[in-house]
Amino acid sequence: MREVREQEFDEFVLARQQRLLRTAYLLCGDWHLAEDLTQNALAKVYTAWNRIQRVEQIDGYVHRILFRTYVDTYRRRRKREILSAAVPDVAGTGIASDVRLTLLSALAEVTPRYRAVLVLRFWEDRSVDETADALGISAGSVKSHTHRGLHQLRSVLGDQALDLIGS
């Protein structure tokens, strides 16, 4: 039985690791930190693997861990780290690379909680309820965080927002 559960975990990791890594990167803007966040989230899922019964539970659980770990890490690192404007050289995925870099840079300026909500809602294309479940907050909080996060993002982008809409 144990070997079967471990094989199921291995299959889960192979199927979702890249998506989790991309989501973590969108949250933190640093590939190394994204790898750490993903690894920590998967390690916590592994310890709870036998208690989790359905895949839907696992997806929500791993995303909740990923976002909470990111917010906790950001709070600790914020005081000692100086953010850089340099973004890793990454190939674009459907969006013009200059637009993508501008959005990633602006997203890095949004507070961690709002950024987590924006990534879930608009990158992961999750509903308000799914986002609320993943973050462990109410649907009303998701709506207000989305509104405030978009406002922060627009403030950071300033006049560039109009240029991005036209792209």
Side-chain angles (χ1 to χ4, degrees):
M1 180 69 176
R2 184 178 182 148
E3 288 180 11
V4 171
R5 292 296 287 168
E6 286 187 16
Q7 183 178 355
E8 289 173 353
F9 178 77
D10 291 343
E11 291 170 2
F12 172 81
V13 170
L14 287 174
R16 292 180 178 73
Q17 186 173 17
Q18 289 303 314
R19 182 175 176 197
L20 289 170
L21 183 60
R22 283 191 307 268
T23 300
Y25 174 75
L26 286 170
L27 289 171
C28 66
D30 177 310
W31 281 111
H32 298 291
L33 182 56
E35 289 172 346
D36 290 344
L37 289 171
T38 303
Q39 184 175 5
N40 287 339
L42 290 172
K44 289 177 182 179
V45 168
Y46 180 77
T47 61
W49 190 255
N50 289 326
R51 293 187 312 260
I52 302 171
Q53 300 299 317
R54 296 187 325 253
V55 173
E56 301 84 36
Q57 291 177 325
I58 299 168
D59 284 331
Y61 183 69
V62 73
H63 276 90
R64 188 176 309 120
I65 291 170
L66 184 69
F67 291 110
R68 287 181 179 171
T69 303
Y70 162 70
V71 170
D72 290 344
T73 300
Y74 181 81
R75 285 180 187 150
R76 282 189 299 255
R77 294 173 60 124
R78 179 177 53 186
K79 294 178 183 172
R80 346 174 235 158
E81 195 172 280
I82 299 172
L83 298 176
S84 170
V87 177
D89 184 20
V90 179
T93 57
I95 300 175
S97 61
D98 57 333
V99 172
R100 187 169 190 267
L101 292 176
T102 301
L103 286 173
L104 285 173
S105 178
L107 193 58
E109 299 294 320
V110 175
T111 60
R113 177 63 78 172
Y114 296 161
R115 187 181 329 172
V117 170
L118 293 176
V119 167
L120 278 171
R121 291 283 290 126
F122 301 109
W123 178 264
E124 294 278 327
D125 198 26
R126 292 178 181 253
S127 70
V128 170
D129 291 333
E130 290 171 332
T131 302
D133 184 51
L135 295 175
I137 60 177
S138 70
S141 293
V142 170
K143 291 175 185 178
S144 65
H145 287 356
T146 301
H147 175 75
R148 292 178 187 141
L150 288 173
H151 181 15
Q152 266 191 9
L153 192 60
R154 286 185 196 107
S155 295
V156 169
L157 288 171
D159 293 337
Q160 289 179 319
L162 293 175
D163 294 338
L164 294 176
I165 292 170
S167 296

